[in-house]
Amino acid sequence: MSMSAIAVSAPVQGRGVRPTTESAWIRRSLIGLALAFLTLFLFVPLISVFYEALKKGLDVYVAAITEPEAAAAIQLTLTAAAIAVPLNVIFGLAAAWAIAKFEFRGKSVLTTLIDLPFSVSPVVAGLIYVLMFGLQGWLGPWLAENDIKIIFAVPGIVLATIFVTVPFIARELIPLMQAQGTEEEEAAVILGASGWQTFYRVTLPNIKWGVLYGTILCNARAMGEFGAVSVVSGHIRGSTNTLPLHVEILYNEYNFAAAFAVASLLALLALVTLGLKTLVESRAKRQEENIREH
Amino acid sequence: MSIEVRNLSKRFGSFSALRDVSLEVRPGELLALLGPSGSGKTTLLRVIAGLETADDGRVLFHGEDATDQHVRERQVGFVFQHYALFRNMTILENVAFGLRVRPKKFRPTDKEIRRRVHELLKLVQLDWLADRYPHQLSGGQRQRIALARALAVEPKVLLLDEPFGALDARVRKELRAWLRRLHDDMHITSVFVTHDQEEALEVADRVVVMNEGRIEQIGTPDEVYERPASPFVYEFLGKVNLFHGRLHQGRAWIGEIEIDAPEHSEAEELPAIAYVRPHDIEIERVSSVSMMNGDADASTRLAAQVSHVLAIGPVVRLELIRNGDQGKEHQELIEVEISKERFRELNLAQGDEVLIKPSRFDLFPRQIH
């Protein structure tokens, strides 16, 4: 997208060359440099994933992604995302609403806390949960007594996924909601709308593309998360293995065709995400333009 | 419906937005809250609306205490400076919003809502825009829609926060006259905030001049303009000349002039300032006679020199420098407005020597900070 932006903006000037425009030679080499970089680090690896996955034929590919352990991994990944993403949508909306529309003590602390998962290594995030809920952890003995399994089980994976994906939606919505201000909400309340009516009829329609954009990113990360989930999962095949973990196991077993086949699913997910993201981005941009005109 | 506020105070951190403000808005009047930015006028309006809670004091609607009433229940119409139309709704839905969010029991039928919305849109003369979205409208149109939306719920009072502040000068003038006419037709108790003195004086029945969280003066436009109650109001409303002098036991001295000031009979050697409007200054050419004997005139007139003449339109504006001031680094210019006729009679040009006499002025002891 950034490339097309350069390409479009270049031929705009006619006679009067803008002072910030460089000569054609420099422009071409910059574009060439960016392309070379992307080819080397992005396109070639991406193609090689699909190439390696299909190298041994379609049968091997289909078998690799339909065998029970792979199917279980897919299911677990979908389950974890299905729980983590909606929760984060709710939390993200609530946090962004609070931060953008209200003044309160400790607001900056909350803003910083929301960013924490971005700044903390995912491995540390996983370890936090092991320390909390693991057998030797703070709550471990109590959990064991009550026969509740969190670490090396599905709940742990869901928790770790939630932790690493917390910032996506809130981060996306806070600047958007701050730009929109609170006047429309005030107008709604003065006209007699209840809190829920105000949110549902005024606030939510104004941010829906932002919410969708954040959800897509959040989902992509939730399904692709490796580090934090790896720590809490225990790698029990067919039970606590998510797709990324499954890829690692297959790779470590020198089962390259299967590893790449499963990896290609994740790559596909990334491509779909990218497509959706671009689509939503353009819609969101239009909504934002309405704000500025407004 | 009357509005009364009693002893309102409001602080934002260390900033006092309102200091013990009391005010009564009479039923059916159009009241302007006028003041510079930071004077507390918008805060006062928002406290009346219920969008802001005062730290202290009461708000009464029609004699009933509404201080603890939620915004939703106050039944006020509010118009924002930046319109605050719902950008995701059509104009029709914007105006219908207040009716649509009512509990089912009190909600009119869809048909009735549409009828009322169209009625209101006709009232603001924008019926043809019903299916557009706010961003497709001009600023003036948006503000009229915002007004229609506020009126849709049949509010008991109408509050307008700098309603014309975001519009360009020509549209602002048009809307101003239109609002005045609308108010004359509807007689809904209205309060509007403005920092534009011309707007306040032209539109309002009464004007409340605010400064630093306090009310400086309440009065009709004529009263606040002609008889400002404080130096602040003098300086804020219209052009004014300042003459420094002193007060002593009911007498005042400004330069050579000695004046009676009976209302300041207790003053003992106080520095004072006389405020004089540009059109309240009489101007004479220095006649050769008075030049020679430097007599009676000296105690009633000040000598000055014309430094600039602006003769556009029916009123001629002169800028004068007082004699004795010419050499000084800080020259206080005196502005005088005279009719074109008088100007022709005097036949003044830059550099001419003149004598001036304030025909009407107000004296205020200078506040020592």
Side-chain angles (χ1 to χ4, degrees):
Chain A
M1 274 186 314
S2 58
M3 280 183 304
S4 68
I6 295 168
V8 168
S9 66
V12 170
Q13 3 55 48
R15 202 180 262 252
V17 177
R18 272 179 297 162
T20 50
T21 305
E22 298 296 337
S23 71
W25 181 81
I26 292 181
R27 265 183 283 147
R28 271 188 214 123
S29 24
L30 280 175
I31 294 169
L33 200 68
L35 267 178
F37 183 86
L38 286 173
T39 309
L40 193 62
F41 287 92
L42 209 67
F43 300 145
V44 172
L46 192 63
I47 291 163
S48 82
V49 167
F50 289 99
Y51 174 76
E52 291 286 338
L54 293 163
K55 204 162 69 176
K56 291 189 176 162
L58 200 62
D59 296 344
V60 180
Y61 180 82
V62 173
I65 59 175
T66 50
E67 55 109 3
E69 282 172 13
I74 292 171
Q75 205 194 353
L76 180 58
T77 297
L78 291 177
T79 311
I83 299 170
V85 173
L87 283 176
N88 274 334
V89 170
I90 294 168
F91 170 77
L93 270 171
W97 170 274
I99 287 170
K101 311 257 170 175
F102 298 99
E103 289 302 324
F104 55 91
R105 251 167 210 274
K107 189 162 145 171
S108 57
V109 177
L110 181 60
T111 316
T112 316
L113 278 180
I114 288 173
D115 277 342
L116 191 69
F118 275 170
S119 51
V120 167
S121 161
V123 177
V124 176
L127 277 174
I128 293 168
Y129 288 106
V130 174
L131 284 175
M132 290 259 305
F133 303 114
L135 260 184
Q136 260 70 50
W138 298 341
L139 298 171
W142 183 85
L143 289 169
E145 255 171 54
N146 290 281
D147 207 20
I148 301 170
K149 262 191 91 65
I150 289 182
I151 298 304
F152 307 142
V154 177
I157 291 169
V158 172
L159 278 177
T161 308
I162 291 175
F163 180 87
V164 293
T165 55
V166 154
F168 284 97
I169 289 164
R171 272 282 118 196
E172 182 59 33
L173 292 183
I174 290 167
L176 183 67
M177 289 171 99
Q178 274 173 338
Q180 292 182 345
T182 52
E183 277 198 349
E184 280 184 53
E185 279 84 1
E186 286 181 345
V189 174
I190 290 175
L191 288 167
S194 66
W196 171 248
Q197 282 172 322
T198 306
F199 177 74
Y200 186 73
R201 286 171 177 256
V202 177
T203 309
L204 198 56
N206 283 347
I207 56 168
K208 61 180 176 212
W209 292 110
V211 174
L212 199 55
Y213 184 79
T215 308
I216 290 167
L217 289 185
C218 182
N219 183 58
R221 181 67 196 268
M223 292 191 175
E225 173 55 24
F226 179 83
V229 170
S230 174
V231 176
V232 296
S233 132
H235 304 268
I236 306 164
R237 280 191 176 205
S239 159
T240 63
N241 250 357
T242 62
L243 271 182
L245 301 182
H246 192 58
V247 173
E248 194 211 14
I249 289 175
L250 291 171
Y251 188 82
N252 285 346
E253 288 170 350
Y254 303 105
N255 192 351
F256 294 131
F260 277 108
V262 177
S264 76
L265 287 181
L266 286 170
L268 265 180
L269 171 75
L271 290 176
V272 170
T273 303
L274 201 65
L276 282 176
K277 183 173 136 316
T278 313
L279 192 79
V280 171
E281 225 168 27
S282 70
R283 295 302 300 266
K285 210 170 181 184
R286 217 179 303 163
Q287 194 170 49
E288 235 170 276
E289 269 156 22
N290 285 355
I291 298 167
R292 233 167 290 135
E293 269 180 59
H294 202 74
Chain B
M1 172 72 77
S2 65
I3 308 170
E4 200 186 333
V5 302
R6 286 188 196 151
N7 311 101
L8 285 185
S9 294
K10 172 81 182 171
R11 298 175 70 84
F12 295 107
S14 61
F15 175 72
S16 277
L18 294 175
R19 305 168 201 241
D20 196 26
V21 169
S22 297
L23 169 69
E24 202 186 332
V25 190
R26 295 171 194 149
E29 84 172 330
L30 179 53
L31 186 94
L33 299 177
L34 174 66
S37 60
S39 60
K41 54 195 192 306
T42 293
T43 308
L44 177 56
L45 193 79
R46 290 174 63 88
V47 169
I48 293 173
L51 290 172
E52 216 78 72
T53 20
D55 302 334
D56 230 328
R58 321 293 309 166
V59 178
L60 289 83
F61 284 151
H62 203 63
E64 278 171 43
D65 198 328
T67 315
D68 301 317
Q69 217 175 20
H70 192 270
V71 202
R72 214 173 281 130
E73 285 135 28
R74 290 199 189 186
Q75 288 182 278
V76 299
F78 201 98
V79 174
F80 293 84
Q81 180 177 3
H82 298 289
Y83 331 119
L85 294 179
F86 306 126
R87 69 196 99 199
N88 64 305
M89 297 178 206
T90 61
I91 296 310
L92 186 132
E93 286 307 315
N94 261 280
V95 180
F97 186 87
L99 299 171
R100 289 223 197 278
V101 296
R102 281 190 187 167
K104 214 159 195 165
K105 276 192 291 184
F106 305 105
R107 198 188 308 152
T109 61
D110 192 55
K111 213 174 129 201
E112 169 67 11
I113 289 177
R114 282 172 175 276
R115 192 190 63 74
R116 278 173 59 181
V117 169
H118 279 289
E119 211 174 83
L120 280 160
L121 288 176
K122 278 195 192 106
L123 179 76
V124 299
Q125 297 151 0
L126 292 173
D127 202 23
W128 49 288
L129 289 174
D131 297 324
R132 303 275 183 90
Y133 281 87
H135 70 266
Q136 297 170 305
L137 271 59
S138 73
Q141 289 171 336
R142 284 185 215 178
Q143 199 55 297
R144 281 193 274 166
I145 296 299
L147 193 64
R149 182 180 67 177
L151 292 173
V153 292
E154 291 168 344
K156 294 186 280 182
V157 300
L158 188 60
L159 308 173
L160 306 102
D161 184 11
E162 300 256 8
F164 315 126
L167 304 170
D168 62 59
R170 203 175 52 82
V171 181
R172 198 184 306 182
K173 269 214 148 103
E174 263 172 42
L175 271 190
R176 209 146 73 184
W178 177 80
L179 176 72
R180 181 68 247 188
R181 281 200 305 276
L182 190 80
H183 183 266
D184 289 344
D185 290 344
M186 309 213 351
H187 280 297
I188 178 172
T189 310
S190 308
V191 181
F192 80 100
V193 159
T194 179
H195 64 267
D196 181 344
Q197 39 151 319
E198 202 184 311
E199 193 169 293
L201 298 179
E202 214 170 278
V203 179
D205 295 320
R206 287 196 304 154
V207 177
V208 176
V209 185
M210 294 190 68
N211 179 36
E212 292 180 347
R214 289 194 190 86
I215 292 178
E216 293 271 340
Q217 188 174 6
I218 307 176
T220 63
D222 191 53
E223 277 166 5
V224 292
Y225 186 81
E226 293 296 336
R227 290 192 297 283
S230 68
F232 173 82
V233 181
Y234 244 121
E235 285 176 44
F236 191 69
L237 283 180
K239 285 186 214 127
V240 71
N241 293 301
L242 272 62
F243 292 91
H244 294 270
R246 62 196 168 83
L247 267 172
H248 183 62
Q249 295 180 341
R251 309 280 299 159
W253 287 266
I254 297 161
E256 304 300 304
I257 310 179
E258 194 180 338
I259 327 161
D260 276 328
E263 67 274 26
H264 297 290
S265 55
E266 270 110 73
E268 293 280 344
E269 282 298 335
L270 275 179
I273 303 177
Y275 289 82
V276 190
R277 297 275 188 216
H279 52 81
D280 286 334
I281 294 180
E282 288 168 10
I283 186 163
E284 294 282 351
R285 269 186 165 276
V286 178
S287 64
S288 45
V289 187
S290 60
M291 275 293 272
M292 272 194 280
N293 42 14
D295 61 59
D297 271 359
S299 61
T300 55
R301 283 160 206 273
L302 297 168
Q305 194 182 30
V306 178
S307 79
H308 190 73
V309 179
L310 191 75
I312 299 168
V315 174
V316 177
R317 264 175 46 207
L318 304 170
E319 280 177 13
L320 312 177
I321 300 172
R322 262 172 78 176
N323 282 2
D325 261 7
Q326 280 99 335
K328 285 186 199 163
E329 212 172 291
H330 176 72
Q331 300 177 338
E332 258 184 63
L333 288 175
I334 302 168
E335 259 190 64
V336 181
E337 286 177 3
I338 55 174
S339 69
K340 203 133 207 173
E341 254 171 42
R342 177 82 181 128
F343 177 69
R344 287 207 194 96
E345 221 174 273
L346 289 166
N347 191 24
L348 287 171
Q350 198 174 341
D352 286 355
E353 298 285 334
V354 291
L355 289 173
I356 54 169
K357 178 189 176 188
S359 56
R360 226 175 58 93
F361 54 84
D362 274 311
L363 270 170
F364 295 98
R366 197 161 70 208
Q367 271 144 23
I368 296 152
H369 295 286

